[in-house]
Amino acid sequence: MARRNRKEIYSPDVSATFHCVNRCIRQALLFGFDPVTQIDNSHRKLWFQSRLAVLSSAMGIDLLGFCVMSNHIHVILRTQPELAREWSPQEVVRRWLILFPPRPKVRKSTAHLSAEARLALAYSHAEAELLQDPQEVEELRTRLTSPSWFMKLLTEPMARIANKEDGKKGRFWEGRFKMHPLLDELAVLGCLMYVDLNPIRAGVADGIATSRHTSLFLRLQATVLQLFDTLTPEQRAERGLDADILQEFTQQVAGTTGPPTADRGIVGSGDCTGSAATSPSETSAKRLRGILTALGDMEEGENRSSSQRNLTRQALDEASRQAAYSARATWLSPLQITEQSQQQQVPGVRATNKGCLELTLCQYMDLMEWTGRMLKPGKPGRILPGAPSILQQLNLSADGWLQFVQGHLRQPGELRRPLARPESLEAEAKRRGGQWLQGISLSRAIFGAPEPTAKATGAAATEPTADSVPNPG
């Protein structure tokens, strides 16, 4: 069956959320350590994060989550066309030139100028040229909120610089990226959980604090930086927070970890011939684990009293909320949807202050840790004691939640199309001019919604039930 045209899924005039995925060609480990060739390309994961930071600061798109694996990438994007419509033509051109900076030319008339002066002159000429064509400015406005352009500007530079580093030519990515809409908040929660769990499910991380190169890991780093500012020097020493950690985490949160750029070439590539040395990201994971343990991490703080754990959880949640709007705000969207987001000034590193979920950081970590324990190979979802209380607020059983997260895979390695509540899927099918979408039967089974009869729907097509969906393992 041919895939749907992307224009049927994406409307440039309506805000929507999408899960985008792309894989390296032949699923080669071009972002990680290859045991066959003994080449370690793990430094490219930090390049990827730095590129995300640039795109988030320039485009009218919120970045809700991401994950960089050794052979594929995940990003969760939310378009903001209403925001882009408020930009002046000068603002549109300014943002576009961040993504496509002009190259100053050395001529006789500018030979006496410094490099900075020639660059400023080139920007001035490029801006004036673009502003002369109003139609071109409107086209750029549309591109700055397009998920397709976001993925193009993310993957193409990575492929070009990585090929230059390897001395190779040809394809770097398997093909065109895949994009699936997330139709409601529950779909966003399930997909974000699925994305953040990738390193744990793949066996490259053994817990939340070591799940590197994910949106949750970056949010935890920003939270630790916020705690650093609120604690006294004695309290910092007790919790293992020193100046080295501050500098290291600040660089990764800000996205300034030596990415490749057009004017600097390849920076910070490190040793690509082996994996014996500990990478900066591995050091970050070890330090973050120690800090969370000292703060009373959910996994290792069971011996603390209930009041101590609650106090620590409140401190973490408050630090997470403050970090989203502080001077060191991460380029990711805030995790929690709060009323104060509308009152805070939007940092220049992202498009808006709109949050992702109606959950606090600790609630999200509780649910993620429990989900990661339950989703084990060969272990079916079932109602188990100890399920997070947040599932009751979502009106979901433990078994239903596990099926929902697993439902993002149609079969191992193959992503399912939209997965959300039944009413959201039915509305999306109607918007597309149909009566059925892949995933509707599974969603109805999870939420206990009745299947409509063929006579009522006028459709004879059927979909595999939840029991026939293979366990992705």
Side-chain angles (χ1 to χ4, degrees):
M1 180 178 177
R3 65 170 177 81
R4 288 184 176 273
N5 291 330
R6 194 154 286 170
K7 66 180 181 180
E8 297 180 26
I9 301 174
Y10 163 68
S11 173
D13 300 322
V14 179
S15 177
T17 306
F18 301 97
H19 174 207
C20 302
V21 188
N22 211 348
R23 296 183 179 276
C24 298
I25 188 167
R26 296 182 179 178
Q27 298 194 23
L29 305 178
L30 300 180
F31 282 101
F33 176 71
D34 190 336
V36 177
T37 62
Q38 294 295 303
I39 295 177
D40 189 2
N41 293 314
S42 298
H43 56 278
R44 293 175 181 171
K45 295 180 179 181
L46 292 177
W47 290 0
F48 183 87
Q49 291 183 213
S50 298
R51 185 61 182 169
L52 285 176
V54 173
L55 296 178
S56 295
S57 66
M59 301 190 71
I61 293 179
D62 291 328
L63 181 61
L64 276 60
F66 74 93
C67 175
V68 194
M69 299 297 289
S70 294
N71 62 1
H72 68 280
I73 60 172
H74 295 266
V75 291
I76 302 177
L77 308 175
R78 181 173 59 208
T79 61
Q80 296 289 354
E82 294 183 0
L83 172 68
R85 285 194 284 268
E86 298 175 357
W87 292 339
S88 65
Q90 291 77 11
E91 178 66 10
V92 172
V93 171
R94 183 190 71 81
R95 289 173 176 268
W96 186 254
L97 292 180
I98 293 176
L99 304 174
F100 292 92
R103 295 184 177 181
K105 298 179 180 180
V106 179
R107 298 174 178 173
K108 290 183 178 180
S109 59
T110 61
H112 64 286
L113 299 176
S114 64
E116 291 78 7
R118 286 196 298 268
L119 181 60
L121 186 62
Y123 267 95
S124 178
H125 288 169
E127 182 180 14
E129 183 177 355
L130 289 173
L131 289 174
Q132 289 177 356
D133 189 348
Q135 292 184 351
E136 178 70 12
V137 172
E138 292 307 309
E139 176 63 24
L140 299 184
R141 191 190 305 273
T142 302
R143 292 179 182 179
L144 287 172
T145 60
S146 168
S148 294
W149 271 88
F150 188 102
M151 293 300 294
K152 168 188 170 66
L153 295 172
L154 176 64
T155 57
E156 188 274 334
M158 291 298 305
R160 176 166 39 82
I161 300 299
N163 279 347
K164 181 178 180 180
E165 182 187 38
D166 293 339
K168 304 290 184 181
K169 293 183 179 179
R171 282 183 174 270
F172 182 88
W173 301 102
E174 185 177 63
R176 198 179 186 201
F177 74 93
K178 297 178 176 62
M179 183 175 78
H180 308 300
L182 304 177
L183 303 177
D184 54 30
E185 185 185 333
L186 187 61
V188 174
L189 173 59
C191 187
L192 188 59
M193 189 77 57
Y194 168 79
V195 169
D196 280 335
L197 277 172
N198 253 251
I200 298 174
R201 296 275 288 153
V204 298
D206 59 2
I208 293 174
T210 57
S211 186
R212 297 171 284 143
H213 309 297
T214 63
S215 46
L216 177 58
F217 190 84
L218 191 68
R219 287 185 169 109
L220 285 173
Q221 286 182 312
T223 301
V224 168
L225 288 175
Q226 184 64 31
L227 286 171
F228 190 98
D229 292 337
T230 59
L231 298 176
T232 65
E234 293 77 14
Q235 291 174 325
R236 295 174 187 173
E238 291 176 0
R239 291 162 174 79
L241 296 170
D242 56 32
D244 291 339
I245 293 180
L246 175 65
Q247 181 179 2
E248 181 181 330
F249 283 13
T250 299
Q251 288 179 347
Q252 295 187 24
V253 168
T256 56
T257 48
T261 60
D263 56 336
R264 290 187 298 172
I266 298 174
V267 179
S269 59
D271 181 9
C272 300
T273 59
S275 62
T278 302
S279 69
S281 54
E282 289 174 344
T283 304
S284 297
K286 293 177 180 178
R287 290 182 171 182
L288 186 58
R289 178 198 285 274
I291 292 168
L292 292 179
T293 301
L295 291 170
D297 182 33
M298 279 75 70
E299 294 178 322
E300 303 179 43
E302 297 299 327
N303 58 336
R304 299 168 65 93
S305 68
S306 176
S307 61
Q308 286 177 316
R309 287 199 299 271
N310 290 337
L311 180 61
T312 300
R313 291 169 64 89
Q314 292 175 7
L316 283 174
D317 287 338
E318 183 59 29
S320 173
R321 286 189 287 267
Q322 293 178 3
Y325 312 108
S326 67
R328 297 198 191 98
T330 176
W331 32 270
L332 286 172
S333 292
L335 179 66
Q336 186 179 3
I337 299 175
T338 61
E339 295 180 357
Q340 73 178 110
S341 63
Q342 304 299 326
Q343 304 169 0
Q344 300 287 339
Q345 183 178 359
V346 180
V349 293
R350 61 172 181 255
T352 71
N353 280 341
K354 187 177 179 180
C356 306
L357 307 167
E358 296 281 357
L359 274 71
T360 66
L361 175 65
C362 288
Q363 286 177 329
Y364 180 78
M365 291 171 66
D366 282 342
L367 184 57
M368 178 176 171
E369 192 223 340
W370 181 84
T371 305
R373 286 202 314 267
M374 296 302 105
L375 292 181
K376 294 182 180 179
K379 189 169 186 177
R382 51 195 174 91
I383 299 177
L384 295 167
S389 59
I390 190 65
L391 291 179
Q392 297 178 0
Q393 300 178 30
L394 297 174
N395 196 24
L396 268 174
S397 65
D399 181 59
W401 168 251
L402 295 175
Q403 278 190 305
F404 189 81
V405 176
Q406 286 179 313
H408 284 282
L409 285 176
R410 182 167 47 207
Q411 61 186 32
E414 186 176 356
L415 283 169
R416 176 178 291 277
R417 289 179 184 173
L419 189 63
R421 293 184 183 273
E423 54 269 24
S424 298
L425 291 171
E426 291 166 1
E428 176 66 10
K430 185 177 181 180
R431 186 190 70 82
R432 298 185 188 183
Q435 296 177 334
W436 176 87
L437 271 183
Q438 183 185 53
I440 285 184
S441 291
L442 174 61
S443 180
R444 287 170 179 156
I446 291 174
F447 293 96
E451 286 278 359
T453 62
K455 182 177 180 180
T457 61
T462 60
E463 183 188 9
T465 62
D467 294 335
S468 66
V469 177
N471 190 325

